[in-house]
Amino acid sequence: MSAPTSPSSPPPPPPPPARGRVRTALASAVGTCVENYDFVAYGTASALYFGDAFFPNSDPVVGTLLAFVTLGVGFLMRPIGGAVGGYLGDRHGRKPVLVGALLTMGIATVLIGMLPTYQQVGVAAPVLLVIIRCVQGLAFGAEWGSAVMMTYEHAPRTRRGLYSAIPQAGNPLGIALANIAFLLSATLDSDWAWRLPFLASALLIVAGVVIRMKLTESPEFEAARAKGTTVRNPLLSVVREDWRNILRIIALRVVESCAYYLTATYLLSYITDRDDGDRGVALAGVVTASLLATATTVLFGALTDRVGRRTVYLVACVLAAAFGFPMYLMANTGAPVLIVLIFLIGIGVIHAALTGTQAAWFAELFNTATRTSGASLGYQTAASVAGFAPFLAVLLAESFGWAGPAGLYVCVALVGLLGVLSTRETWSPAQRAVLPAGHGQPRRAADRERHPSR
């Protein structure tokens, strides 16, 4: 079975100079920021606008359900995108996938902003919406694996948790920007309130593509290709040899993805339905928490370099399980401070701890030759499940009130906890102690040893 580098395996090539690895991390973060802006803008629009714009003949509950179904359709496409992107990333390189996925996602998002509504073209409007959403799902699924693996494989061995968390921090930043766009457009009393955020993403797309075009390919992938150790069909190989790790990633990812969408998408809709006047407060809470998570995601990634990946994830899952019911008790008060605090805890702490750990931990469960395929397949398969979490939350709320979605939040946290308990630690003190010279020290120090005259 495939396994990560061990003391008896040949050591990975030394990381590139600091400037190169920082540039790679930031470029990956810019791309994930844009991708998440595009993908999350759809979730926000589904919660606030799409029920009326594309399903106006339905009652409010059914309209919300249908809007969330179209949200979930994009998630169903993500495992396919992850499989295709992972295969191409392991077979032909990480960089081409990064550029192609970002460009595809951007075009699809701009097209959503140009779509006619149900009142204008009838049933063709939701059909077109679903088709474009499928394209978004494919692109989003393809992008993540190559983005985080490029950063992970450029980073110095002892700081891979920190560096790999940087593109993950692009997730909450993109979320914040998407919600800021909706806050700014919320005062518009027309379709422009939801169209403008989608159209505005064109500016981010151009910047992201230009930056990613300047990246160098992953040094570990280049070394594997030079040695002829890449595999002919990485997707088939990882499914056949490492399917257990794929299942572990699914369990670990379900808690993070479901918990996020139950908070930032369903809870946003729940709070707005209770009192439309709280919409601005809830959106402000999501934005503030997302900005906080941009920093805390990186901090949690750095923490995993010190205490291990498993420890941080375990604590985050326990916090999630404990927070499921209190978050709704706080929301039911209608107090603006408590509403904002819900998002600060749920997104800025719990979600940030999970996402800040994932990239390095998931990468370390696989070999270079199948790393992108294995991590992407598990990551995006779990996301396809999470896409229907808001839909399921609506159904549970209809039958059990707020206790239904609260219980769902706790259940996904317990699934994540089981994932933690069944997945080995990949960055323990013993593993750090056996690193070869030059891989456990900062690049500048290693450079000075090899080039004393510099």
Side-chain angles (χ1 to χ4, degrees):
M1 185 173 74
S2 299
T5 302
S6 65
S8 59
S9 305
R19 183 173 60 181
R21 63 183 182 244
V22 171
R23 183 191 302 120
T24 300
L26 293 178
S28 295
V30 168
T32 55
C33 172
V34 175
E35 292 267 357
N36 277 273
Y37 175 99
D38 292 349
F39 209 72
V40 171
Y42 192 104
T44 303
S46 294
L48 302 180
Y49 300 108
F50 281 177
D52 293 332
F54 293 95
F55 312 101
N57 292 335
S58 307
D59 64 58
V61 172
V62 175
T64 301
L65 282 172
L66 291 174
F68 283 153
V69 166
T70 62
L71 173 70
V73 165
F75 283 87
L76 283 179
M77 302 304 294
R78 286 176 63 171
I80 300 175
V84 173
Y87 173 89
L88 294 174
D90 284 331
R91 191 81 178 90
H92 302 290
R94 315 332 188 187
K95 179 180 174 179
V97 178
L98 294 184
V99 177
L102 181 59
L103 190 58
T104 303
M105 180 66 141
I107 293 172
T109 301
V110 172
L111 287 176
I112 289 176
M114 300 169 64
L115 276 180
T117 64
Y118 187 92
Q119 291 181 343
Q120 294 170 319
V121 297
V123 72
V127 170
L128 290 172
L129 182 66
V130 170
I131 292 173
I132 296 176
R133 182 60 176 172
C134 289
V135 174
Q136 273 196 322
L138 287 170
F140 197 59
E143 194 271 347
W144 178 85
S146 290
V148 299
M149 298 314 155
M150 274 279 280
T151 305
Y152 175 86
E153 291 169 353
H154 273 84
R157 189 67 185 89
T158 57
R159 302 179 71 188
R160 282 183 162 173
L162 166 64
Y163 277 88
S164 299
I166 293 175
Q168 293 288 78
N171 298 346
L173 182 59
I175 292 165
L177 292 176
N179 283 288
I180 287 172
F182 276 98
L183 278 172
L184 294 176
S185 67
T187 56
L188 300 175
D189 190 20
S190 68
D191 285 350
W192 287 108
W194 61 265
R195 291 187 187 278
L196 277 180
F198 289 104
L199 296 174
S201 71
L203 300 175
L204 297 174
I205 295 155
V206 172
V209 170
V210 169
I211 292 172
R212 283 190 167 183
M213 286 292 291
K214 298 179 180 180
L215 291 179
T216 58
E217 185 55 84
S218 158
E220 288 194 24
F221 174 79
E222 292 283 27
R225 181 158 57 183
K227 295 176 182 177
T229 56
T230 57
V231 296
R232 186 175 185 84
N233 192 328
L235 183 62
L236 180 62
S237 295
V238 79
V239 170
R240 183 176 60 241
E241 300 172 10
D242 255 346
W243 58 270
R244 292 179 181 83
N245 279 331
I246 294 174
L247 292 179
R248 291 180 182 113
I249 287 177
I250 291 173
L252 292 168
R253 166 76 164 140
V254 158
V255 55
E256 174 263 311
S257 193
C258 285
Y260 173 78
Y261 283 100
L262 287 173
T263 304
T265 300
Y266 174 74
L267 191 60
L268 176 64
S269 177
Y270 174 83
I271 291 171
T272 300
D273 289 343
R274 283 178 52 85
D275 186 348
D276 191 62
D278 288 335
R279 175 181 297 185
V281 174
L283 278 173
V286 173
V287 170
T288 304
S290 298
L291 292 173
L292 172 65
T294 302
T296 53
T297 297
V298 178
L299 292 176
F300 281 117
L303 183 62
T304 69
D305 286 330
R306 293 181 174 274
V307 303
R309 324 299 189 203
R310 198 167 183 254
T311 301
V312 175
Y313 220 90
L314 176 65
V315 172
C317 287
V318 171
L319 287 176
F323 189 56
F325 283 88
M327 68 191 295
Y328 281 88
L329 294 173
M330 294 163 68
N332 291 338
T333 66
V337 172
L338 293 181
I339 289 175
V340 172
L341 185 60
I342 291 170
F343 296 109
L344 290 177
I345 296 172
I347 298 174
V349 178
I350 295 174
H351 186 255
L354 297 171
T355 55
T357 306
Q358 285 174 350
W361 198 11
F362 294 177
E364 288 163 353
L365 294 174
F366 302 94
N367 282 330
T368 302
T370 58
R371 181 174 289 152
T372 310
S373 297
S376 293
L377 190 57
Y379 190 92
Q380 303 301 348
T381 299
S384 69
V385 176
F388 290 93
F391 176 83
L392 182 56
V394 172
L395 293 179
L396 289 172
E398 284 296 298
S399 300
F400 304 103
W402 63 265
L408 178 60
Y409 189 98
V410 173
C411 286
V412 298
L414 295 177
V415 171
L417 190 59
L418 289 175
V420 174
L421 296 177
S422 65
T423 306
R424 62 185 173 80
E425 177 62 84
T426 59
W427 191 236
S428 65
Q431 289 163 310
R432 293 195 292 271
V434 298
L435 287 176
H439 291 270
Q441 56 185 318
R443 179 68 178 179
R444 289 181 181 177
D447 282 344
R448 284 197 296 269
E449 290 179 8
R450 288 192 292 271
H451 306 285
S453 59
R454 290 185 181 179

